[in-house]
Amino acid sequence: METGSPENTGTAGHERAGDEPGWTGLPPGLLRMRRLLLVVWLGLLTIGLAVLLNLLAGPSWAGFALLPLALMAWGWVMLGRNWRSWRYAERADDLLISRGVLWREETVVPYGRMQLVEVTSGPVERHFGLASVQLHTAAAATDATIPGLDPAEAERLRDRLTELGEARSAGL
C-alpha cells in the first residue's frame, strides 16, 4: 500500500480487521509546496553560480553550474518518496505517526499523555493552504508533528486529540 496518496485519506480513526490501523496519508499540497521551494532555491543557485563562474573563470567553467540541476532532479524524487512515507492513524487509545524512507520511524502518542496540541501555519504553508499539527507530551522525545494537513483537517484533529486527551488524562 502506498501512503500519501489522496485515495488513502478519510480512513482515520477506523480500525480494520486484524487490528490494522486505518492509515491516512498527507495531502498532495505538501509535496507541491516542497517541490516548488526546491525548484525556486536550486534554480536561483544555478543562475547565480553560472553568472559567478562565467565572470570569474570564463564561459567554459559556467557549465559546472548545471550541477545544482542534477541535485534538483534527485531532490524531486526524494521529496516524493519522503511524502509517501508519512502517514498517521487514530486508534482507540493512541495516535500513530509513521515516517521515513531508509530509516522508518513510528511514533505512538497515547492520548492520556498529550499535554498540548498545536496547529501552526507559517506564511508559505498558509499560501498553499496547509497547516501542521504538533503534539507535546511530558517527555520531549515523544513530541510529534504531522505536517502539511488541510487547515480544516488540522483543526478537526486538534479538537479530537484534545478531547480524547482530556478524557484519558482524567483517570491519571
Side-chain angles (χ1 to χ4, degrees):
M1 173 174 80
E2 191 168 289
T3 60
S5 55
E7 56 268 13
N8 292 336
T9 59
T11 59
H14 304 291
E15 306 246 352
R16 295 185 184 131
D19 252 3
E20 175 69 22
W23 292 103
T24 303
L26 299 181
L30 178 66
L31 180 62
R32 280 193 298 272
M33 178 190 76
R34 288 180 174 173
R35 282 182 169 167
L36 179 64
L37 290 173
L38 174 78
V39 168
V40 167
W41 286 112
L42 287 180
L44 289 173
L45 179 66
T46 300
I47 293 168
L49 190 59
V51 169
L52 188 65
L53 286 174
N54 189 34
L55 291 175
L56 297 177
S60 60
W61 287 91
F64 283 106
L66 297 177
L67 291 176
L69 293 180
L71 183 61
M72 185 185 309
W74 178 77
W76 187 277
V77 172
M78 291 298 108
L79 284 173
R81 290 184 66 194
N82 180 269
W83 171 75
R84 282 189 299 277
S85 76
W86 276 87
R87 58 189 186 160
Y88 66 96
E90 300 172 59
R91 297 195 308 181
D93 296 321
D94 51 33
L95 177 73
L96 299 176
I97 302 172
S98 179
R99 64 194 170 281
V101 178
L102 292 177
W103 286 272
R104 297 286 304 158
E105 187 175 329
E106 191 164 293
T107 305
V108 179
V109 184
Y111 295 134
R113 301 287 182 201
M114 290 183 204
Q115 293 183 332
L116 176 67
V117 181
E118 287 182 303
V119 173
T120 60
S121 185
V124 176
E125 285 180 309
R126 278 195 308 275
H127 178 75
F128 283 90
L130 301 171
S132 297
V133 174
Q134 186 165 9
L135 311 163
H136 298 279
T137 63
T142 57
D143 288 358
T145 302
I146 304 172
L149 296 174
D150 178 63
E153 171 64 10
E155 290 175 14
R156 182 206 65 81
L157 191 58
R158 178 200 59 208
D159 294 343
R160 176 164 165 71
L161 295 175
T162 302
E163 177 185 314
L164 289 168
E166 289 173 354
R168 299 294 194 284
S169 67
L172 294 177

